Amino acid sequence: MLINPPKISKLCIGSNNNFNLIRMLCAIGVLFAHSYVLVSNRPNIKDPFQLYFNIGMGTFFVTIFFSISGFLIYRSLDRSHDLQHYVLARSKRIFPALSVVLLLTVFILGPFITELDIVTYFSTPSTWQYLLNINLLDIHTHFKLPGVFIENPHSNSVNGSLWTLPIETWMYVMTALAFCLSGLTKHYLAHWQLHIKLTSLVCFILIACLTAKHFQNTHQFEKFDMLIFICTFTVGSILYKLRYRIPVMWSIAGLLLLGIPWLKDTLAYPIYYSLTIAYSVLVIAYLPCEKTHIYNRIGDYSYGVYIYAFPIQQTLVLFIPDISFLTMFLASLSITLIFATISWHFIESPILNRRTSRKAQIK
């Protein structure tokens, strides 16, 4: 154990981190989880993540996404102090690739595999309502297209991954609001700033824990997952705010993980789980290993994998009804990686680079 372990503030300078690699592995993890859910002849295997964390595998990997977002998004806003740039950066990261996947789904995939005739397909309101998924401020995701995947085991969703994007978008909005309120309290209520922050934190913890317990008791598991996403994002943001005080140590991460079985049935678990995940992810992200940092030079394919995988998997099930779980995973991963690679190099990266170039020109 280090006598003076490095603080987060020292490590989060520069780009030598593993955030892109972690996101990519989590996107593959979600694809793996969905491969099991979507096939009809899946083996009867108990979810190890459900047994240990009391949270399903897919949800577990998405919580890691949210914890990373909480840390990096607040860091981005804190460094720029520019809400206009913040909104522009978030929009250019999310909307271009999402727009393409929605257009491909509605105008290419849908007409090709729908059981309806083309005229009926395009005259049905739900076809055009699906395009409203571009409005990420609306948490009511449109999952269905007329006549599409209706014979599949999981027939009620064309792209089941999209429902988490509005939640993350709203967390971006809340981050901006919290940042502005923090600035106002620092300027006008400096004497009471610490009290306001502590009171807000205590209220958040109490509300999160009580609400999560209610969702579990009433079997509202989707709402419980949504709350866990919010908690992990928030804790990630708080860890960045406290970066000058928090050491990065494997021993702390290990102790937090060991405490999971003892606390997973308690009222405090939502916050404890969020803290455990967010802190452990930071420890892994700043692992001093040059070999893992090489991935940063390749690109960030995680978003493409996340938004393309589900419809590709549903299509495989449609054409190969008896596809096995392992074949589904390997085939869908291979095809999805092709789409994600194209998306990064021809859609996402050029737009992000254009943003960087314009910023450089302004300076």
Side-chain angles (χ1 to χ4, degrees):
M1 183 181 298
L2 296 175
I3 297 176
N4 293 308
K7 301 295 191 296
I8 294 174
S9 57
K10 181 179 179 180
L11 295 177
C12 70
I13 299 174
S15 59
N16 289 330
N17 58 64
N18 300 309
F19 284 121
N20 286 347
L21 179 59
I22 294 172
R23 281 190 296 230
M24 185 61 179
L25 293 175
C26 287
I28 295 174
V30 172
L31 185 152
F32 182 86
H34 286 166
S35 295
Y36 181 80
V37 171
L38 294 176
V39 298
S40 58
N41 58 340
R42 54 181 175 266
N44 186 18
I45 302 174
K46 291 185 177 180
D47 187 341
F49 291 85
Q50 185 70 52
L51 293 174
Y52 191 82
F53 292 100
N54 209 20
I55 288 174
M57 182 186 297
T59 302
F60 171 83
F61 287 119
V62 175
T63 59
I64 294 178
F65 274 128
F66 273 84
S67 68
I68 293 174
S69 291
F71 184 85
L72 294 182
I73 296 305
Y74 200 94
R75 184 182 73 171
S76 173
L77 184 56
D78 182 61
R79 287 179 174 181
S80 68
H81 286 81
D82 184 345
L83 282 177
Q84 183 178 358
H85 177 261
Y86 171 80
V87 173
L88 185 63
R90 302 281 66 77
S91 299
K92 288 190 173 182
R93 185 66 188 96
I94 294 179
F95 289 111
L98 177 61
S99 301
V100 172
V101 77
L102 292 178
L103 291 173
L104 289 176
T105 304
V106 171
F107 294 106
I108 304 297
L109 180 64
F112 179 68
I113 65 175
T114 182
E115 296 190 2
L116 305 177
D117 61 87
I118 297 300
V119 174
T120 304
Y121 171 81
F122 281 111
S123 62
T124 304
S126 58
T127 300
W128 304 103
Q129 289 171 355
Y130 191 86
L131 293 174
L132 295 178
N133 286 324
I134 195 66
N135 178 15
L136 294 181
L137 294 179
D138 183 1
I139 63 171
H140 300 98
T141 304
H142 299 276
F143 290 108
K144 296 183 179 181
L145 281 173
V148 177
F149 301 138
I150 59 176
E151 299 297 331
N152 285 16
H154 200 79
S155 60
N156 62 344
S157 181
V158 174
N159 195 338
S161 298
L162 297 184
W163 78 279
T164 63
L165 299 183
I167 304 171
E168 180 149 356
T169 302
W170 271 108
M171 294 311 298
Y172 295 166
V173 174
M174 297 306 294
T175 298
L177 180 60
F179 186 82
C180 292
L181 290 176
S182 177
L184 288 175
T185 56
K186 185 184 296 185
H187 185 73
Y188 295 105
L189 300 169
H191 181 70
W192 297 95
Q193 188 177 18
L194 179 61
H195 299 81
I196 293 172
K197 288 182 177 180
L198 289 176
T199 302
S200 300
L201 180 61
V202 171
C203 290
F204 171 76
I205 292 173
L206 289 176
I207 293 172
C209 292
L210 292 173
T211 307
K213 196 66 177 178
H214 170 72
F215 288 154
Q216 285 185 312
N217 292 339
T218 55
H219 304 289
Q220 300 181 62
F221 298 118
E222 185 174 303
K223 291 183 178 179
F224 175 79
D225 290 347
M226 186 185 303
L227 184 62
I228 293 297
F229 298 157
I230 294 171
C231 288
T232 50
F233 186 101
T234 304
V235 171
S237 300
I238 292 173
L239 288 181
Y240 178 78
K241 286 284 290 182
L242 300 176
R243 63 194 180 279
Y244 294 106
R245 301 177 181 273
I246 299 178
V248 179
M249 300 174 63
W250 282 100
S251 56
I252 295 177
L255 288 173
L256 288 171
L257 288 167
L258 288 174
I260 291 287
W262 305 98
L263 294 170
K264 67 180 181 179
D265 294 320
T266 67
L267 191 66
Y269 184 64
I271 297 299
Y272 183 83
Y273 170 83
S274 301
L275 176 61
T276 300
I277 294 300
Y279 183 83
S280 300
V281 166
L282 286 178
V283 172
I284 297 171
Y286 291 112
L287 182 69
C289 180
E290 292 299 326
K291 291 183 179 179
T292 58
H293 298 162
I294 293 175
Y295 179 79
N296 293 333
R297 306 173 192 169
I298 300 174
D300 185 4
Y301 304 147
S302 58
Y303 185 47
V305 170
Y306 187 76
I307 61 177
Y308 276 101
F310 202 97
I312 289 172
Q313 291 173 307
Q314 285 282 57
T315 304
L316 285 171
V317 173
L318 177 67
F319 288 103
I320 315 174
D322 295 325
I323 189 171
S324 68
F325 160 56
L326 182 58
T327 303
M328 162 66 87
F329 170 65
L330 295 176
S332 61
L333 176 59
S334 301
I335 299 171
T336 302
L337 282 175
I338 295 173
F339 278 85
T341 302
I342 294 172
S343 176
W344 172 255
H345 289 290
F346 292 96
I347 301 170
E348 300 166 62
S349 182
I351 291 176
L352 292 173
N353 288 335
R354 187 184 308 165
R355 179 196 66 193
T356 304
S357 299
R358 174 177 289 185
K359 185 179 177 183
Q361 290 173 4
I362 292 175
K363 288 184 177 180

